[in-house]
Amino acid sequence: MKLIDTHSHLYEPEFDDDREAAVARAREAGVAALLLPAIDTASDRRLFDLCRSHPEYCFPMIGLHPTSVNDNPAWREELARVERYLLEPPAGIRFCAIGEIGLDYYWSDAFVAQQTEAFVAQLRLAARFDLPVAIHTRSEGAAAFERLCGCGDFCFGIGGTVTFKKSGVAEIVRTMPLDRIVLETDCPYLTPAPYRGQRNESAYVRLVCDKIAELKGLAAETVAAATTANAEALFGIRYTEKNTERR
């Protein structure tokens, strides 16, 4: 079984004590590739260092997270770095997507205009550089799914929340076409059951796969194969016998 975690923050400080062990556990769980969304300047170096350490396994994105716009007088400079890196990628780095980007008013609705400007600018960069986007959404659920159904090629990243009791995501996934799903963890956050409340990690994407299979009445191998193919097609990841590489 091969799995892809399409949204991992394994470069974050929560993994400083056991990052290499977490990578090893992911491999042992059948995770064949990790896609790493950017957040902002503060985490860029950690992100790039991890991808350089595992060039056949960790695939970087570049972007400005919407909450990094909030109350940040330098957000336009942060945004400019995205274009700068796309024009001149750091040594040993090749971006697979622009992300994570989007809109998030959970903490404050005082920065709607700024978040919208940053989001639109990064969508334009994605079109210019012919890259997919990883969009951060919060509390959108079925409404977001319905809106995106008419927008062409897209997939929904399903993570640990699908395993939660009384999960609204679970009900959506029951009817969501399998060719619209990719797997993610968003680690170290949103840990799936039965480890909820502990630190999340990419190895747990297997639990997400198993839950989707249960909800849909399918074999886990079927879900793994479909979601891996979806991620390969969307992000341009392909496999050799021993590792993964960008097309």
Side-chain angles (χ1 to χ4, degrees):
M1 182 186 294
K2 289 184 178 179
L3 304 163
I4 295 178
D5 183 357
T6 64
H7 193 125
S8 171
H9 296 286
L10 200 64
Y11 56 86
E12 284 288 79
E14 287 86 346
F15 293 99
D16 283 353
D17 291 337
D18 67 339
R19 185 170 288 106
E20 290 304 310
V23 170
R25 287 191 293 270
R27 290 182 184 274
E28 291 168 4
V31 182
L34 306 180
L35 277 55
L36 309 180
I39 301 173
D40 53 33
T41 301
S43 59
D44 283 348
R45 183 173 180 177
R46 296 194 303 270
L47 167 60
F48 299 156
D49 285 349
L50 179 58
C51 291
R52 291 187 184 109
S53 296
H54 299 276
E56 85 291 354
Y57 192 68
C58 296
F59 298 86
M61 304 182 195
I62 190 65
L64 180 61
H65 193 284
T67 59
S68 293
V69 172
N70 293 1
D71 203 25
N72 179 1
W75 71 268
R76 284 192 175 88
E77 287 79 1
E78 292 261 8
L79 187 60
R81 107 197 187 284
V82 177
E83 182 176 14
R84 184 170 66 253
Y85 278 142
L86 289 169
L87 288 168
E88 296 184 24
I93 296 298
R94 187 178 183 187
F95 298 112
C96 67
I98 294 180
E100 61 187 290
I101 65 176
L103 303 171
D104 188 331
Y105 311 140
Y106 180 81
W107 300 106
S108 173
D109 61 1
F111 303 96
V112 173
Q114 295 91 329
Q115 285 194 20
T116 301
E117 181 180 337
F119 186 30
V120 170
Q122 291 178 98
L123 290 174
R124 288 174 174 161
L125 285 173
R128 176 180 164 189
F129 288 91
D130 193 26
L131 285 171
V133 294
I135 298 177
H136 168 93
T137 63
R138 189 191 288 265
S139 302
E140 290 293 323
F145 177 64
E146 291 171 1
R147 285 198 297 271
L148 286 171
C149 278
C151 293
D153 293 335
F154 76 94
C155 290
F156 268 85
I158 304 300
T161 57
V162 75
T163 70
F164 296 174
K165 291 182 179 179
K166 300 181 180 179
S167 169
V169 174
E171 295 308 310
I172 297 167
V173 165
R174 289 183 193 276
T175 58
M176 186 178 288
L178 194 56
D179 64 2
R180 294 294 197 186
I181 296 175
V182 293
L183 306 179
E184 66 170 62
T185 59
D186 198 15
C187 68
Y189 318 108
L190 300 175
T191 310
Y195 302 113
R196 190 176 182 184
Q198 303 176 38
R199 185 196 66 181
N200 198 4
E201 58 180 83
S202 287
Y204 296 164
V205 77
R206 174 62 188 268
L207 299 173
V208 177
C209 177
D210 289 346
K211 184 62 178 183
I212 293 172
E214 174 191 326
L215 291 167
K216 289 187 163 296
L218 299 170
E221 291 78 6
T222 300
V223 174
T227 55
T228 295
N230 295 342
E232 290 171 352
L234 183 61
F235 294 103
I237 301 295
R238 67 182 174 88
Y239 296 94
T240 65
E241 283 292 319
K242 295 181 180 179
N243 57 29
T244 63
E245 58 186 25
R246 276 283 288 158
R247 281 197 178 106

Short mmCIF file of all heavy atoms in Angstrom, two decimals, residues 50-94:
data_model
loop_
_atom_site.label_atom_id
_atom_site.label_comp_id
_atom_site.label_asym_id
_atom_site.label_seq_id
_atom_site.Cartn_x
_atom_site.Cartn_y
_atom_site.Cartn_z
N LEU A 50 14.44 20.46 5.53
CA LEU A 50 13.88 19.12 5.55
C LEU A 50 13.80 18.54 4.14
O LEU A 50 14.12 17.36 3.92
CB LEU A 50 12.50 19.13 6.20
CG LEU A 50 11.77 17.78 6.27
CD1 LEU A 50 12.60 16.75 7.03
CD2 LEU A 50 10.40 17.95 6.92
N CYS A 51 13.40 19.37 3.18
CA CYS A 51 13.30 18.88 1.80
C CYS A 51 14.67 18.55 1.22
O CYS A 51 14.81 17.59 0.46
CB CYS A 51 12.59 19.92 0.94
SG CYS A 51 10.84 20.10 1.36
N ARG A 52 15.67 19.32 1.60
CA ARG A 52 17.03 19.00 1.14
C ARG A 52 17.53 17.71 1.78
O ARG A 52 18.30 16.95 1.16
CB ARG A 52 17.97 20.16 1.46
CG ARG A 52 17.71 21.42 0.66
CD ARG A 52 18.80 22.45 0.91
NE ARG A 52 18.53 23.71 0.23
CZ ARG A 52 18.18 24.83 0.85
NH1 ARG A 52 18.04 24.86 2.17
NH2 ARG A 52 17.94 25.93 0.16
N SER A 53 17.13 17.45 3.01
CA SER A 53 17.56 16.23 3.70
C SER A 53 16.90 14.98 3.12
O SER A 53 17.46 13.88 3.18
CB SER A 53 17.22 16.32 5.20
OG SER A 53 17.94 17.36 5.81
N HIS A 54 15.69 15.15 2.55
CA HIS A 54 14.93 14.03 1.99
C HIS A 54 14.39 14.42 0.62
O HIS A 54 13.18 14.49 0.41
CB HIS A 54 13.79 13.64 2.93
CG HIS A 54 14.24 13.19 4.28
ND1 HIS A 54 14.65 11.90 4.54
CD2 HIS A 54 14.39 13.88 5.44
CE1 HIS A 54 15.01 11.80 5.81
NE2 HIS A 54 14.86 12.99 6.38
N PRO A 55 15.29 14.64 -0.35
CA PRO A 55 14.85 15.17 -1.64
C PRO A 55 13.98 14.21 -2.43
O PRO A 55 13.22 14.63 -3.31
CB PRO A 55 16.17 15.44 -2.38
CG PRO A 55 17.15 14.51 -1.74
CD PRO A 55 16.76 14.45 -0.30
N GLU A 56 14.06 12.92 -2.14
CA GLU A 56 13.24 11.95 -2.84
C GLU A 56 11.93 11.67 -2.12
O GLU A 56 11.13 10.85 -2.57
CB GLU A 56 14.03 10.64 -2.99
CG GLU A 56 13.98 9.67 -1.81
CD GLU A 56 14.70 10.15 -0.54
OE1 GLU A 56 15.35 11.22 -0.58
OE2 GLU A 56 14.60 9.46 0.49
N TYR A 57 11.71 12.39 -1.02
CA TYR A 57 10.57 12.04 -0.16
C TYR A 57 9.72 13.24 0.23
O TYR A 57 8.50 13.14 0.31
CB TYR A 57 11.11 11.35 1.10
CG TYR A 57 10.06 10.68 1.94
CD1 TYR A 57 9.40 9.56 1.47
CD2 TYR A 57 9.75 11.15 3.21
CE1 TYR A 57 8.43 8.93 2.24
CE2 TYR A 57 8.79 10.52 3.99
CZ TYR A 57 8.13 9.41 3.50
OH TYR A 57 7.17 8.80 4.25
N CYS A 58 10.35 14.38 0.49
CA CYS A 58 9.65 15.58 0.95
C CYS A 58 9.61 16.61 -0.18
O CYS A 58 10.65 17.01 -0.71
CB CYS A 58 10.34 16.18 2.17
SG CYS A 58 10.31 15.11 3.62
N PHE A 59 8.39 17.07 -0.53
CA PHE A 59 8.19 17.96 -1.66
C PHE A 59 7.62 19.29 -1.16
O PHE A 59 6.53 19.31 -0.56
CB PHE A 59 7.25 17.31 -2.67
CG PHE A 59 7.80 16.04 -3.25
CD1 PHE A 59 7.61 14.83 -2.61
CD2 PHE A 59 8.53 16.06 -4.42
CE1 PHE A 59 8.13 13.66 -3.12
CE2 PHE A 59 9.05 14.89 -4.96
CZ PHE A 59 8.86 13.69 -4.31
N PRO A 60 8.33 20.40 -1.40
CA PRO A 60 7.93 21.68 -0.81
C PRO A 60 6.91 22.43 -1.64
O PRO A 60 6.86 22.34 -2.87
CB PRO A 60 9.25 22.45 -0.77
CG PRO A 60 9.98 21.97 -1.99
CD PRO A 60 9.63 20.51 -2.10
N MET A 61 6.10 23.21 -0.95
CA MET A 61 5.26 24.25 -1.55
C MET A 61 5.80 25.60 -1.09
O MET A 61 6.64 25.67 -0.21
CB MET A 61 3.80 24.11 -1.10
CG MET A 61 3.19 22.75 -1.37
SD MET A 61 1.43 22.72 -0.86
CE MET A 61 1.14 20.95 -0.86
N ILE A 62 5.30 26.67 -1.70
CA ILE A 62 5.62 28.01 -1.23
C ILE A 62 4.34 28.84 -1.22
O ILE A 62 3.51 28.71 -2.13
CB ILE A 62 6.72 28.69 -2.09
CG1 ILE A 62 7.20 29.98 -1.45
CG2 ILE A 62 6.22 28.90 -3.52
CD1 ILE A 62 7.90 29.79 -0.13
N GLY A 63 4.17 29.63 -0.18
CA GLY A 63 2.95 30.44 -0.08
C GLY A 63 2.93 31.21 1.22
O GLY A 63 3.83 31.09 2.06
N LEU A 64 1.87 32.00 1.38
CA LEU A 64 1.65 32.77 2.60
C LEU A 64 0.30 32.37 3.19
O LEU A 64 -0.75 32.57 2.56
CB LEU A 64 1.67 34.27 2.30
CG LEU A 64 1.43 35.20 3.49
CD1 LEU A 64 2.52 35.03 4.55
CD2 LEU A 64 1.37 36.66 3.03
N HIS A 65 0.35 31.78 4.37
CA HIS A 65 -0.87 31.33 5.06
C HIS A 65 -1.74 32.54 5.40
O HIS A 65 -1.22 33.60 5.78
CB HIS A 65 -0.47 30.60 6.34
CG HIS A 65 -1.58 29.85 6.99
ND1 HIS A 65 -2.57 30.47 7.71
CD2 HIS A 65 -1.85 28.52 7.02
CE1 HIS A 65 -3.40 29.55 8.18
NE2 HIS A 65 -2.99 28.35 7.77
N PRO A 66 -3.07 32.42 5.27
CA PRO A 66 -3.92 33.59 5.52
C PRO A 66 -3.80 34.18 6.91
O PRO A 66 -3.85 35.40 7.06
CB PRO A 66 -5.35 33.06 5.26
CG PRO A 66 -5.24 31.57 5.32
CD PRO A 66 -3.87 31.26 4.82
N THR A 67 -3.59 33.36 7.93
CA THR A 67 -3.48 33.93 9.28
C THR A 67 -2.15 34.63 9.49
O THR A 67 -2.00 35.39 10.45
CB THR A 67 -3.69 32.85 10.36
OG1 THR A 67 -2.72 31.82 10.21
CG2 THR A 67 -5.09 32.26 10.25
N SER A 68 -1.18 34.39 8.61
CA SER A 68 0.09 35.12 8.69
C SER A 68 -0.04 36.53 8.13
O SER A 68 0.89 37.33 8.25
CB SER A 68 1.19 34.36 7.95
OG SER A 68 1.48 33.14 8.60
N VAL A 69 -1.18 36.82 7.52
CA VAL A 69 -1.49 38.18 7.06
C VAL A 69 -2.01 39.02 8.23
O VAL A 69 -1.75 40.23 8.31
CB VAL A 69 -2.53 38.13 5.92
CG1 VAL A 69 -3.01 39.54 5.55
CG2 VAL A 69 -1.94 37.42 4.70
N ASN A 70 -2.72 38.38 9.14
CA ASN A 70 -3.38 39.09 10.24
C ASN A 70 -2.39 39.86 11.10
O ASN A 70 -1.38 39.31 11.55
CB ASN A 70 -4.13 38.10 11.14
CG ASN A 70 -5.30 37.45 10.43
OD1 ASN A 70 -5.57 37.71 9.27
ND2 ASN A 70 -6.00 36.59 11.15
N ASP A 71 -2.71 41.13 11.32
CA ASP A 71 -1.93 41.96 12.24
C ASP A 71 -0.44 41.92 11.91
O ASP A 71 0.41 41.96 12.81
CB ASP A 71 -2.17 41.50 13.68
CG ASP A 71 -1.88 42.61 14.71
OD1 ASP A 71 -1.97 43.79 14.33
OD2 ASP A 71 -1.58 42.28 15.86
N ASN A 72 -0.12 41.84 10.64
CA ASN A 72 1.27 41.75 10.19
C ASN A 72 1.56 42.91 9.24
O ASN A 72 1.19 42.86 8.06
CB ASN A 72 1.51 40.42 9.48
CG ASN A 72 2.93 40.27 8.96
OD1 ASN A 72 3.77 41.15 9.15
ND2 ASN A 72 3.20 39.16 8.30
N PRO A 73 2.21 43.96 9.69
CA PRO A 73 2.46 45.12 8.84
C PRO A 73 3.37 44.80 7.65
O PRO A 73 3.40 45.58 6.69
CB PRO A 73 3.12 46.12 9.78
CG PRO A 73 3.68 45.31 10.90
CD PRO A 73 2.76 44.15 11.05
N ALA A 74 4.07 43.68 7.70
CA ALA A 74 4.99 43.32 6.62
C ALA A 74 4.41 42.23 5.71
O ALA A 74 5.16 41.58 4.96
CB ALA A 74 6.31 42.85 7.20
N TRP A 75 3.09 42.06 5.70
CA TRP A 75 2.53 40.95 4.95
C TRP A 75 2.78 41.07 3.45
O TRP A 75 2.95 40.05 2.76
CB TRP A 75 1.05 40.76 5.25
CG TRP A 75 0.11 41.79 4.70
CD1 TRP A 75 -0.33 42.91 5.33
CD2 TRP A 75 -0.51 41.79 3.42
NE1 TRP A 75 -1.18 43.63 4.53
CE2 TRP A 75 -1.31 42.95 3.35
CE3 TRP A 75 -0.49 40.94 2.32
CZ2 TRP A 75 -2.08 43.28 2.23
CZ3 TRP A 75 -1.25 41.25 1.20
CH2 TRP A 75 -2.03 42.40 1.16
N ARG A 76 2.82 42.28 2.93
CA ARG A 76 3.10 42.42 1.49
C ARG A 76 4.54 42.02 1.17
O ARG A 76 4.81 41.46 0.10
CB ARG A 76 2.81 43.85 1.02
CG ARG A 76 1.31 44.13 0.87
CD ARG A 76 1.05 45.43 0.13
NE ARG A 76 -0.38 45.63 -0.10
CZ ARG A 76 -1.20 46.22 0.76
NH1 ARG A 76 -0.70 46.71 1.90
NH2 ARG A 76 -2.48 46.36 0.49
N GLU A 77 5.46 42.28 2.08
CA GLU A 77 6.83 41.79 1.89
C GLU A 77 6.86 40.27 1.94
O GLU A 77 7.60 39.62 1.18
CB GLU A 77 7.75 42.38 2.96
CG GLU A 77 8.09 43.85 2.79
CD GLU A 77 6.99 44.80 3.25
OE1 GLU A 77 5.94 44.31 3.74
OE2 GLU A 77 7.16 46.01 3.12
N GLU A 78 6.07 39.70 2.84
CA GLU A 78 5.96 38.23 2.90
C GLU A 78 5.41 37.68 1.58
O GLU A 78 5.87 36.66 1.07
CB GLU A 78 5.02 37.83 4.05
CG GLU A 78 5.56 38.13 5.42
CD GLU A 78 6.18 36.91 6.07
OE1 GLU A 78 6.33 35.89 5.39
OE2 GLU A 78 6.52 37.00 7.26
N LEU A 79 4.43 38.39 1.03
CA LEU A 79 3.84 37.96 -0.23
C LEU A 79 4.86 38.06 -1.37
O LEU A 79 4.92 37.18 -2.24
CB LEU A 79 2.61 38.82 -0.53
CG LEU A 79 1.75 38.44 -1.72
CD1 LEU A 79 1.20 37.02 -1.54
CD2 LEU A 79 0.61 39.44 -1.87
N ALA A 80 5.66 39.13 -1.35
CA ALA A 80 6.66 39.31 -2.40
C ALA A 80 7.67 38.18 -2.42
O ALA A 80 8.22 37.82 -3.47
CB ALA A 80 7.37 40.66 -2.21
N ARG A 81 7.94 37.58 -1.24
CA ARG A 81 8.91 36.49 -1.18
C ARG A 81 8.43 35.29 -1.98
O ARG A 81 9.24 34.52 -2.52
CB ARG A 81 9.18 36.12 0.27
CG ARG A 81 8.58 34.79 0.72
CD ARG A 81 8.50 34.63 2.19
NE ARG A 81 8.07 33.29 2.58
CZ ARG A 81 6.82 32.84 2.50
NH1 ARG A 81 5.85 33.60 2.04
NH2 ARG A 81 6.53 31.60 2.87
N VAL A 82 7.10 35.09 -2.07
CA VAL A 82 6.56 33.96 -2.83
C VAL A 82 6.98 34.09 -4.30
O VAL A 82 7.51 33.14 -4.89
CB VAL A 82 5.02 33.89 -2.69
CG1 VAL A 82 4.47 32.75 -3.55
CG2 VAL A 82 4.62 33.71 -1.23
N GLU A 83 6.76 35.26 -4.89
CA GLU A 83 7.15 35.46 -6.27
C GLU A 83 8.67 35.35 -6.44
O GLU A 83 9.16 34.76 -7.41
CB GLU A 83 6.67 36.82 -6.77
CG GLU A 83 7.02 37.07 -8.24
CD GLU A 83 6.46 38.38 -8.75
OE1 GLU A 83 6.04 39.22 -7.91
OE2 GLU A 83 6.45 38.57 -9.98
N ARG A 84 9.40 35.89 -5.49
CA ARG A 84 10.86 35.84 -5.57
C ARG A 84 11.37 34.40 -5.58
O ARG A 84 12.25 34.03 -6.37
CB ARG A 84 11.46 36.61 -4.39
CG ARG A 84 12.97 36.72 -4.42
CD ARG A 84 13.48 37.69 -3.37
NE ARG A 84 13.24 37.23 -2.00
CZ ARG A 84 12.32 37.74 -1.18
NH1 ARG A 84 11.56 38.74 -1.57
NH2 ARG A 84 12.19 37.26 0.05
N TYR A 85 10.81 33.57 -4.71
CA TYR A 85 11.23 32.18 -4.68
C TYR A 85 10.81 31.41 -5.93
O TYR A 85 11.52 30.51 -6.39
CB TYR A 85 10.66 31.48 -3.45
CG TYR A 85 11.44 31.71 -2.17
CD1 TYR A 85 10.77 31.88 -0.95
CD2 TYR A 85 12.82 31.72 -2.16
CE1 TYR A 85 11.48 32.08 0.23
CE2 TYR A 85 13.54 31.91 -0.99
CZ TYR A 85 12.86 32.09 0.21
OH TYR A 85 13.57 32.28 1.37
N LEU A 86 9.67 31.76 -6.48
CA LEU A 86 9.23 31.10 -7.71
C LEU A 86 10.14 31.45 -8.88
O LEU A 86 10.42 30.60 -9.73
CB LEU A 86 7.78 31.47 -8.02
CG LEU A 86 6.73 30.88 -7.08
CD1 LEU A 86 5.37 31.54 -7.33
CD2 LEU A 86 6.62 29.37 -7.23
N LEU A 87 10.60 32.69 -8.91
CA LEU A 87 11.50 33.13 -9.97
C LEU A 87 12.90 32.54 -9.79
O LEU A 87 13.54 32.16 -10.77
CB LEU A 87 11.58 34.65 -10.00
CG LEU A 87 10.34 35.38 -10.53
CD1 LEU A 87 10.44 36.87 -10.23
CD2 LEU A 87 10.16 35.14 -12.03
N GLU A 88 13.35 32.47 -8.56
CA GLU A 88 14.68 31.94 -8.26
C GLU A 88 14.59 31.01 -7.05
O GLU A 88 14.86 31.41 -5.91
CB GLU A 88 15.66 33.09 -7.97
CG GLU A 88 15.90 34.00 -9.17
CD GLU A 88 16.95 35.06 -8.87
OE1 GLU A 88 17.80 34.83 -7.97
OE2 GLU A 88 16.92 36.11 -9.53
N PRO A 89 14.24 29.76 -7.27
CA PRO A 89 14.11 28.81 -6.15
C PRO A 89 15.44 28.64 -5.42
O PRO A 89 16.50 28.70 -6.04
CB PRO A 89 13.69 27.51 -6.84
CG PRO A 89 13.10 27.93 -8.15
CD PRO A 89 13.87 29.14 -8.56
N PRO A 90 15.38 28.45 -4.11
CA PRO A 90 16.61 28.17 -3.36
C PRO A 90 17.29 26.91 -3.88
O PRO A 90 16.65 26.04 -4.49
CB PRO A 90 16.11 27.98 -1.93
CG PRO A 90 14.77 28.66 -1.89
CD PRO A 90 14.19 28.48 -3.25
N ALA A 91 18.57 26.80 -3.63
CA ALA A 91 19.34 25.64 -4.09
C ALA A 91 18.71 24.34 -3.59
O ALA A 91 18.37 24.21 -2.41
CB ALA A 91 20.78 25.74 -3.59
N GLY A 92 18.54 23.40 -4.49
CA GLY A 92 18.02 22.10 -4.13
C GLY A 92 16.52 22.05 -3.92
O GLY A 92 15.99 21.02 -3.47
N ILE A 93 15.80 23.12 -4.25
CA ILE A 93 14.36 23.19 -4.00
C ILE A 93 13.60 23.32 -5.32
O ILE A 93 13.96 24.14 -6.17
CB ILE A 93 14.03 24.40 -3.09
CG1 ILE A 93 14.66 24.22 -1.72
CG2 ILE A 93 12.52 24.58 -2.97
CD1 ILE A 93 14.19 23.01 -0.93
N ARG A 94 12.56 22.51 -5.46
CA ARG A 94 11.65 22.62 -6.59
C ARG A 94 10.23 22.53 -6.05
O ARG A 94 9.85 21.52 -5.45
CB ARG A 94 11.89 21.51 -7.61
CG ARG A 94 11.07 21.68 -8.88
CD ARG A 94 11.37 20.58 -9.88
NE ARG A 94 10.63 20.78 -11.11
CZ ARG A 94 10.59 19.91 -12.11
NH1 ARG A 94 11.24 18.75 -11.99
NH2 ARG A 94 9.89 20.16 -13.20
#
